[in-house]
Amino acid sequence: MTITSRLIDVAGGRNKVRVYEGGDGPPLFYLHGAGGLMREDRVIAALARHYRVYAPLLPGYEDSVGEERLRDMLDVTLHGYDVMQALGLSKPLVVGHSMGGMIAAEMAAIAPNEIERLALIAPAGIWLPEHPIVDIFALLPQEFPGYLFHDVEAGAKLMTPGGDMNDVKFLAEFMIANARRLGTAGKMLFPIPERGLSERLYRIKARTLVVWGENDRLIPPVYAHEFIKGISGARLTTIPQAGHLVGHEKPDALVEALRTLN
Amino acid sequence: MKFTWFHLMPWPHLPDDFREKYRSVWVDIPTTLYDAKRGHHVYHDYFDQLEYAETMGFDALGVNEHHANAYGLMPSPNLMAAALARRTSKAAIMVLGDSIALYNPPIRVAEEFAMLDVMTGGRLACGFPVGTSMDTNYAYGTIPALTREKYNEAHELIMRAWREDEPFAFNGRYTKLRYVNCWPKPIQRPRPPIFIPGGGSIETYDFCLEFDYTYCYLSYSGYMRAKQLMEGYWERVAKAGKDESPYRGGFAQVICVADTDAEAEKLYSKHVHYFYNRCLHVYPGFADAPGYRTVKTLQANMITQLTQAQLRNYPTLTWKDLVDQGYVIAGSPKTVYDRMVDLAKTLRVGNIFGLFQVGDMPSDKVRHSTKLFAEQVMPKLKAELFQEWKNEDRFWIKPMQQNERRQVAAE
């Protein structure tokens, strides 16, 4: 499956957004997590086998720009709709992972008639004091795989293809890109990844599927129940032997779960 | 030259195995390591030292702002400045807080600094740090990527509050005030001199130049390692077409003076090691929240930072390493004088923030070192360096005349 990308104008040129696109089938709008998309992203590739996938990069990621005008959750939520409009999408299946799941849920809550089918993959956005989520903003680069993957060793290779964190030049480049990405993510996730979403979940009308990796060490699976409780009629699929990056570890299982929303 | 006797107010009772047992001196250090009754004595020892520095003729007494930090026991530097206000009469009170982005609403800073300036008869010099990431982001929760914007807005509000004579409305993004009306106003008009601590951000260089604030590099790595950063600043000064007054720059330096070089090692080595090995033991995950520095600054500095971080392995540094590499300027008055001349010329800085109390150094040693410096080093440096700028007064306090002022200092 060929995935291509292009840079589009969003919100009358206020943002320029790189959109990855590919596949045939019903439209699917995919919102990535705080780490962005990976090179030759496995999740996008898997989704494109059954859907026409549109995966925009949030400003602050790669060459998507205009992040300085996205300061808070409302800005980012409306930006999501701006991108959908720029792509001419009408009622796609909206899928968001982690931070992207938080954005997707906010979009579905703010304009409940615009989104009919919604998939939240290990979404952020709720904070349970008795289950604190690890502070990703205080992690060292080499610590990420341990929190993101069920299979940590394989995950580490996936995150740094052809690179070595012990090489200063590679590490410097990684850290600069990471600072820009997580700098943007921080507007939603720092210092606590919560912006009042649980108060708004009741507004969501979409048929909603919540997907969680059974061994998620970043946002523990106990959070799934909060989303299920908050969104009327939402279903939960738990995927075994998968961590927070559940779609990267188990792409087929993820797609199979999503297809129940068709 | 202007010499500020600068206190960090470190907690002097961190255990010997602190490095091994705890990951950071800052942000998540447990408060079980603090003892409030001992803290009572520590604060008063430190105030005594600052007051002593005034009697020894230092130009300014410096305090700063840190949060959740065992080497900086001053979450509120304004309280410290207030305590000094009535016990001192000549020296500038240099407050290198306030981290203006952290005060809500930031008009609080305009008010408190104005109070301090009035109380001290116009002796306040104020710092407006953006604040380290540890303080601003991790301990105080400011969103990293918005820190600078919030800071700039707070700065605009404070300056206007001091400048305007009539109440005004301020419609900021982070602060909305229908009635801004700063009572009292500072004595120094339009404002006290402002010092901006920076760590190499290009944005901070430009900010200082735009408003003629003094740029201060408060590193603990010594002047030799600061050369590249300060050169970057002076290049920016030249590019902006500004004059090269050395009082546009300041630098913090650990200074230990004894009768001989050998005596300095004997007296101070232990305390200096305490400082570098325990006080500066900061978890790298707290050093720089993503988004806190701009991409432009990161691109300019990242490789250097990473390389320096690898080199800066404090536990392996001996006294000789620390002295030879300029982390610490230590030795006889003659040795210290020579190094200070080298520092001032290398960095072209007219302001020195001297750290004389280091780590767990007790008061008697602090006074000994301070006295030797004040009597045998400082006068010569003042007489000899930057004489072409001796009439420079743009960057320093302008207090009330002596005969206009109430004499309140305790004898």
Side-chain angles (χ1 to χ4, degrees):
Chain A
M1 190 60 58
T2 324
I3 307 292
T4 60
S5 86
R6 60 187 167 124
L7 205 56
I8 62 167
D9 271 343
V10 170
R14 288 175 180 83
N15 297 103
K16 296 222 185 290
V17 168
R18 166 108 10 225
V19 182
Y20 287 83
E21 240 179 288
D24 289 312
L28 184 152
F29 188 59
Y30 180 83
L31 300 174
H32 61 75
L37 296 176
M38 290 189 192
R39 240 182 291 170
E40 292 165 25
D41 195 280
R42 280 188 188 183
V43 179
I44 303 298
L47 295 173
R49 286 200 284 273
H50 300 275
Y51 298 93
R52 177 72 185 169
V53 178
Y54 300 86
L57 283 168
L58 191 66
Y61 289 71
E62 293 181 29
D63 56 354
S64 287
V65 294
E67 63 267 30
E68 61 284 349
R69 58 177 289 274
L70 305 179
R71 293 185 179 82
D72 61 18
M73 199 66 234
L74 180 61
D75 292 338
V76 175
T77 304
L78 296 179
H79 169 79
Y81 278 112
D82 288 346
V83 176
M84 258 172 61
Q85 180 155 356
L87 289 168
L89 294 178
S90 169
K91 308 212 165 147
L93 167 60
V94 176
V95 181
H97 173 232
S98 193
M99 175 184 79
M102 181 182 185
I103 301 168
E106 289 281 5
M107 288 174 69
I110 202 168
N113 296 324
E114 296 300 315
I115 296 178
E116 292 176 349
R117 286 168 306 137
L118 175 68
L120 306 175
I121 309 167
I126 292 181
W127 178 262
L128 301 172
E130 61 278 29
H131 299 285
I133 297 166
V134 69
D135 181 6
I136 59 165
F137 299 97
L139 289 182
L140 304 179
Q142 52 276 26
E143 289 179 307
F144 276 101
Y147 288 101
L148 295 178
F149 297 99
H150 166 77
D151 183 342
V152 176
E153 204 178 312
K157 279 189 197 133
L158 204 61
M159 277 186 76
T160 53
D164 175 5
M165 288 290 186
N166 295 316
D167 170 29
V168 168
K169 196 163 170 289
F170 180 84
L171 185 61
E173 279 168 22
F174 173 86
M175 286 183 77
I176 292 168
N178 197 50
R180 187 165 164 253
R181 288 192 290 258
L182 286 188
T184 302
K187 293 169 178 177
M188 288 158 274
L189 308 179
F190 190 95
I192 305 276
E194 197 276 333
R195 296 292 185 268
L197 175 61
S198 60
E199 306 275 324
R200 296 185 281 273
L201 286 179
Y202 79 93
R203 294 175 49 86
I204 295 175
K205 290 185 188 168
R207 280 212 292 141
T208 303
L209 175 72
V210 177
V211 180
W212 229 281
E214 191 179 36
N215 193 19
D216 191 331
R217 282 185 287 260
L218 191 69
I219 308 182
V222 59
Y223 278 88
H225 302 289
E226 296 302 307
F227 284 90
I228 298 297
K229 258 194 301 185
I231 303 170
S232 171
R235 289 181 293 123
L236 172 64
T237 298
T238 302
I239 297 182
Q241 296 194 316
H244 186 65
L245 294 194
V246 46
H248 293 84
E249 295 196 292
K250 295 282 178 273
D252 295 334
L254 173 68
V255 171
E256 195 184 316
L258 291 184
R259 293 188 72 200
T260 64
L261 275 176
N262 288 351
Chain B
M1 290 186 80
K2 299 291 187 194
F3 292 90
T4 299
W5 200 98
F6 197 82
H7 219 313
L8 294 171
M9 301 204 176
W11 182 243
H13 305 298
L14 294 172
D16 291 343
D17 58 357
F18 177 69
R19 262 194 106 84
E20 293 74 45
K21 275 210 171 132
Y22 302 92
R23 72 171 183 171
S24 190
V25 76
W26 210 334
V27 183
D28 63 357
I29 177 172
T31 48
T32 48
L33 294 177
Y34 186 74
D35 174 339
K37 284 186 178 167
R38 279 178 129 175
H40 169 78
H41 292 279
V42 168
Y43 272 141
H44 288 293
D45 282 346
Y46 289 169
F47 277 126
D48 287 347
Q49 292 163 15
L50 281 158
E51 288 163 19
Y52 175 74
E54 177 180 66
T55 69
M56 295 312 300
F58 279 81
D59 298 289
L61 312 177
V63 293
N64 72 347
E65 173 174 340
H66 284 306
H67 302 277
N69 181 339
Y71 84 69
L73 295 173
M74 295 183 280
S76 169
N78 299 358
L79 288 182
M80 308 324 258
L84 289 169
R86 275 178 62 90
R87 304 271 298 182
T88 59
S89 59
K90 298 184 290 287
I93 305 295
M94 173 81 69
V95 183
L96 282 189
D98 292 355
S99 303
I100 57 177
L102 305 185
Y103 291 73
N104 180 24
I107 188 72
R108 182 83 183 186
V109 174
E111 291 170 342
E112 290 193 5
F113 275 163
M115 287 170 70
L116 286 169
D117 200 43
V118 174
M119 285 158 68
T120 58
R123 289 186 289 133
L124 178 72
C126 38
F128 286 175
V130 174
T132 67
S133 208
M134 291 74 99
D135 293 310
T136 303
N137 306 130
Y138 293 102
Y140 260 45
T142 304
I143 291 175
L146 301 176
T147 301
R148 205 161 281 274
E149 187 175 75
K150 203 174 168 200
Y151 172 91
N152 287 335
E153 186 183 294
H155 170 257
E156 190 194 334
L157 170 62
I158 292 163
M159 286 302 150
R160 258 193 88 188
W162 280 344
R163 197 171 57 232
E164 306 250 344
D165 291 323
E166 299 288 332
F168 62 93
F170 186 82
N171 180 30
R173 196 182 292 285
Y174 301 92
T175 301
K176 293 189 194 293
L177 296 171
R178 190 66 185 82
Y179 303 99
V180 180
N181 195 7
C182 181
W183 272 79
K185 283 271 159 86
I187 284 173
Q188 301 181 79
R189 302 302 296 268
R191 57 169 176 83
I194 290 170
F195 291 74
I196 308 288
S201 310
I202 295 156
E203 294 77 13
T204 309
Y205 295 159
D206 291 348
F207 179 74
C208 289
L209 292 171
E210 184 182 349
F211 298 102
D212 285 328
Y213 299 158
T214 300
Y215 181 84
C216 309
Y217 184 33
L218 307 183
S219 111
Y220 307 123
S221 322
Y223 73 99
M224 289 151 103
R225 280 159 202 277
K227 189 166 184 279
Q228 193 185 354
L229 186 143
M230 285 308 287
E231 274 172 1
Y233 172 62
W234 290 113
E235 274 167 29
R236 214 74 192 169
V237 173
K239 221 181 236 172
K242 295 276 185 174
D243 62 79
E244 292 201 317
S245 169
Y247 297 98
R248 288 189 184 281
F251 187 67
Q253 178 67 51
V254 175
I255 301 170
C256 302
V257 199
D259 293 324
T260 64
D261 292 358
E263 185 74 4
E265 176 171 4
K266 205 172 125 208
L267 284 178
Y268 307 124
S269 169
K270 177 172 171 266
H271 312 298
V272 164
H273 283 299
Y274 179 101
F275 179 67
Y276 283 98
N277 291 330
R278 294 182 220 179
C279 295
L280 297 189
H281 176 54
V282 180
Y283 178 62
F286 294 140
D288 201 351
Y292 170 74
R293 287 178 208 281
T294 61
V295 170
K296 196 162 76 165
T297 298
L298 289 176
Q299 281 164 341
N301 298 337
M302 184 58 82
I303 297 256
T304 326
Q305 264 184 22
L306 288 170
T307 326
Q308 286 201 353
Q310 284 174 356
L311 291 173
R312 199 171 43 221
N313 188 5
Y314 292 130
T316 64
L317 295 175
T318 63
W319 170 260
K320 189 172 179 306
D321 295 331
L322 288 164
V323 171
D324 288 352
Q325 296 173 31
Y327 286 92
V328 176
I329 290 185
S332 69
K334 170 78 174 75
T335 303
V336 170
Y337 167 80
D338 290 342
R339 299 299 294 270
M340 289 299 296
V341 170
D342 196 28
L343 178 161
K345 290 188 173 163
T346 304
L347 305 182
R348 195 184 167 74
V349 287
N351 293 285
I352 300 295
F353 303 93
L355 295 161
F356 292 90
Q357 193 284 337
V358 189
D360 60 348
M361 192 188 290
S363 285
D364 58 332
K365 293 187 190 179
V366 175
R367 285 174 190 241
H368 182 59
S369 176
T370 300
K371 188 165 193 278
L372 285 172
F373 187 86
E375 290 177 346
Q376 299 186 39
V377 182
M378 193 161 75
K380 273 170 75 184
L381 293 169
K382 278 179 172 276
E384 289 167 18
L385 288 169
F386 305 126
Q387 285 311 294
E388 66 281 23
W389 294 93
K390 66 169 183 262
N391 296 322
E392 172 69 271
D393 66 352
R394 291 172 296 168
F395 301 94
W396 199 247
I397 57 164
K398 296 175 188 66
M400 291 163 72
Q401 295 299 314
Q402 202 60 37
N403 59 6
E404 298 175 312
R405 273 158 61 183
R406 282 281 288 273
Q407 300 306 307
V408 293
E411 291 306 319

